[in-house]
Amino acid sequence: MGVMQDELLVQDAAWAQAYLERMTRVVLRDRNQPCVILWSLGNEASCGPNIDAMATWTRAVDPTSVLSPRSDAGLLGTSVRMVGRRGGREKGAKGGREG
Protein backbone atom coordinates (compact mmCIF):
# COMPACT_ATOMS: atom_id res chain seq x y z
CA MET A 1 0.00 0.00 0.00
CA GLY A 2 1.55 3.32 -1.02
CA VAL A 3 1.35 6.75 0.54
CA MET A 4 -1.51 7.80 -1.70
CA GLN A 5 -3.67 4.87 -0.51
CA ASP A 6 -2.79 5.50 3.15
CA GLU A 7 -3.81 9.13 2.84
CA LEU A 8 -7.14 8.09 1.39
CA LEU A 9 -7.86 5.61 4.19
CA VAL A 10 -7.17 8.04 7.02
CA GLN A 11 -9.58 10.48 5.39
CA ASP A 12 -12.23 7.93 4.36
CA ALA A 13 -15.26 7.89 6.67
CA ALA A 14 -15.95 4.28 5.64
CA TRP A 15 -12.78 3.31 7.53
CA ALA A 16 -13.44 5.42 10.65
CA GLN A 17 -14.98 2.60 12.69
CA ALA A 18 -12.17 0.17 11.83
CA TYR A 19 -9.52 2.70 12.88
CA LEU A 20 -11.25 3.47 16.17
CA GLU A 21 -11.96 -0.19 16.96
CA ARG A 22 -8.28 -1.04 16.46
CA MET A 23 -7.18 1.68 18.87
CA THR A 24 -9.88 0.79 21.40
CA ARG A 25 -8.84 -2.88 21.46
CA VAL A 26 -5.16 -2.07 21.94
CA VAL A 27 -5.63 0.56 24.66
CA LEU A 28 -8.18 -1.43 26.66
CA ARG A 29 -6.04 -4.56 26.41
CA ASP A 30 -2.69 -3.00 27.28
CA ARG A 31 -3.29 0.14 29.34
CA ASN A 32 -2.27 -1.48 32.64
CA GLN A 33 0.92 -3.04 31.30
CA PRO A 34 3.95 -1.36 32.92
CA CYS A 35 5.99 -1.70 29.72
CA VAL A 36 3.63 0.52 27.69
CA ILE A 37 5.15 3.99 27.58
CA LEU A 38 3.28 5.46 24.59
CA TRP A 39 0.44 4.71 22.20
CA SER A 40 1.14 4.48 18.48
CA LEU A 41 -1.51 5.82 16.16
CA GLY A 42 -0.02 3.89 13.28
CA ASN A 43 3.21 3.39 11.42
CA GLU A 44 3.59 6.24 8.91
CA ALA A 45 -0.16 6.69 9.14
CA SER A 46 -0.35 10.19 7.67
CA CYS A 47 -2.98 12.64 8.91
CA GLY A 48 -6.73 12.69 8.70
CA PRO A 49 -9.97 12.56 10.63
CA ASN A 50 -9.67 8.84 11.38
CA ILE A 51 -6.29 9.34 13.08
CA ASP A 52 -7.66 12.42 14.85
CA ALA A 53 -10.56 10.34 16.21
CA MET A 54 -8.13 7.71 17.48
CA ALA A 55 -6.06 10.39 19.23
CA THR A 56 -9.10 12.07 20.76
CA TRP A 57 -10.51 8.80 22.11
CA THR A 58 -7.14 7.66 23.48
CA ARG A 59 -6.48 11.01 25.14
CA ALA A 60 -9.93 10.83 26.84
CA VAL A 61 -9.26 7.30 28.17
CA ASP A 62 -5.57 7.78 29.03
CA PRO A 63 -4.73 11.49 29.33
CA THR A 64 -1.26 10.93 30.80
CA SER A 65 0.38 8.81 28.09
CA VAL A 66 2.26 10.05 25.04
CA LEU A 67 0.81 9.48 21.57
CA SER A 68 3.01 8.77 18.56
CA PRO A 69 3.76 9.36 15.67
CA ARG A 70 1.58 12.46 15.28
CA SER A 71 3.30 15.57 16.51
CA ASP A 72 0.76 18.38 16.28
CA ALA A 73 0.93 19.66 19.84
CA GLY A 74 -2.59 21.11 19.73
CA LEU A 75 -4.24 17.69 19.60
CA LEU A 76 -1.69 15.53 21.37
CA GLY A 77 -0.18 17.93 23.86
CA THR A 78 3.32 16.57 23.30
CA SER A 79 5.51 15.09 20.62
CA VAL A 80 8.11 12.35 20.45
CA ARG A 81 11.38 12.83 18.61
CA MET A 82 12.28 9.58 16.93
CA VAL A 83 15.96 8.89 16.30
CA GLY A 84 16.79 6.52 13.47
CA ARG A 85 19.82 4.35 13.01
CA ARG A 86 21.47 6.71 10.54
CA GLY A 87 23.09 9.73 12.06
CA GLY A 88 21.32 10.58 15.31
CA ARG A 89 22.41 7.81 17.62
CA GLU A 90 25.95 7.59 16.32
CA LYS A 91 26.48 11.35 16.65
CA GLY A 92 24.98 11.34 20.15
CA ALA A 93 27.14 8.41 21.22
CA LYS A 94 30.30 10.22 20.10
CA GLY A 95 29.40 13.35 22.04
CA GLY A 96 28.25 15.29 19.00
CA ARG A 97 24.89 16.90 18.51
CA GLU A 98 22.04 14.78 17.26
CA GLY A 99 20.52 16.05 14.13
Side-chain angles (χ1 to χ4, degrees):
M1 210 181 276
V3 173
M4 294 291 286
Q5 183 65 26
D6 288 342
E7 289 177 4
L8 293 174
L9 295 180
V10 298
Q11 297 175 13
D12 188 343
W15 284 83
Q17 183 175 352
Y19 273 74
L20 196 53
E21 285 177 358
R22 179 185 68 174
M23 195 71 196
T24 301
R25 283 193 313 267
V26 169
V27 171
L28 294 179
R29 181 192 69 205
D30 297 334
R31 65 182 169 182
N32 292 321
Q33 297 296 326
C35 61
V36 174
I37 60 169
L38 62 85
W39 298 113
S40 174
L41 299 173
N43 184 27
E44 299 180 15
S46 190
C47 299
N50 295 340
I51 297 293
D52 293 343
M54 291 169 60
T56 299
W57 182 88
T58 304
R59 186 54 64 223
V61 172
D62 185 1
T64 62
S65 292
V66 175
L67 299 180
S68 172
R70 297 281 309 279
S71 63
D72 57 339
L75 180 60
L76 303 183
T78 189
S79 65
V80 177
R81 181 170 184 254
M82 300 296 179
V83 177
R85 292 181 182 221
R86 297 181 188 227
R89 239 187 331 197
E90 290 83 1
K91 289 179 185 174
K94 294 177 184 174
R97 297 188 70 179
E98 292 185 3

